[in-house]
Amino acid sequence: MSSTAPTRVPQEERTRVMRARLLEATVECLVERGFAGTSTTLVSQRAGVSRGAQLHHFPTKDALVVAAVEHLSEVRRRELVAAAAALPTGEQRTRAVLGMLADHFTSPVFTAALELWVAARTDPGLLDAVAPLEQRVGRETHRLTVELLGADEHAPGVRELVQATLDLVRGLGLADTITDDARRRSRILDEWARVLDTALKERAP
């Protein structure tokens, strides 16, 4: 009679899984409770991780939140890349790009990031972690938007048009945190897609 020994999970993999659970729980708490309402105790409970294990990986709230900032940045990047791959081609391309960006800036991940922005405004330590990552995310989002729109930033005014587009959609995302703004947002994006298409065609080589 033979028996099969249980498969042992390497320590490195267990550590990775535990950290991921803690970071995902942190994001969920930020969305539901805000920065002020997020605590290491609440995060460990939600993640199903012992308090001791949580403290081993992230001994303070700041350490946990800084790691969550990095985690959020990667999640946001993956979400945008995946959404971009599913965009249609043809006449509705620009509107679809705007819809993809709007979905991103109204997602729970953006809400969690927004909580960190607000907290970082008066927390120098958190700001030091948030600012460079947000700058990187901003550059990547801008670059992806240029690519998806087929825009030529060598043409005068095109870079500003792309940045105005991102500022517009981000602002609509902020409005959505207060109340469901889907109808108004959709009408604005419909109109901006027409304006943007015309402006980019006028500036095309």
Side-chain angles (χ1 to χ4, degrees), residues 107-183:
S107 69
V109 169
F110 177 72
T111 301
L114 181 59
E115 286 290 331
L116 296 177
W117 294 355
V118 174
R121 188 180 68 84
T122 55
D123 185 329
L126 184 58
L127 180 61
D128 286 344
V130 171
L133 285 170
E134 281 304 321
Q135 289 169 4
R136 190 188 74 198
V137 170
R139 288 193 299 269
E140 291 175 350
T141 305
H142 184 103
R143 184 169 60 249
L144 180 62
T145 303
V146 169
E147 178 184 326
L148 295 176
L149 291 173
D152 180 5
E153 288 199 297
H154 293 97
V158 169
R159 181 173 179 80
E160 288 73 20
L161 276 171
V162 173
Q163 193 57 57
T165 297
L166 291 170
D167 289 344
L168 169 66
V169 182
R170 187 182 294 108
L172 293 172
L174 288 172
D176 194 70
T177 62
I178 303 300
T179 183
D180 184 356
D181 205 37
R183 288 186 179 181

Side-chain angles (χ1 to χ4, degrees), residues 87-88 92-102 144-145 148-149:
L87 288 174
Q92 295 301 311
R93 172 77 170 185
T94 299
R95 180 61 179 84
V97 171
L98 296 182
M100 179 204 81
L101 292 171
L144 180 62
T145 303
L148 295 176
L149 291 173

Side-chain angles (χ1 to χ4, degrees), residues 77-87 100:
R77 186 192 68 78
R78 289 199 306 264
E79 285 186 351
L80 280 172
V81 170
L87 288 174
M100 179 204 81

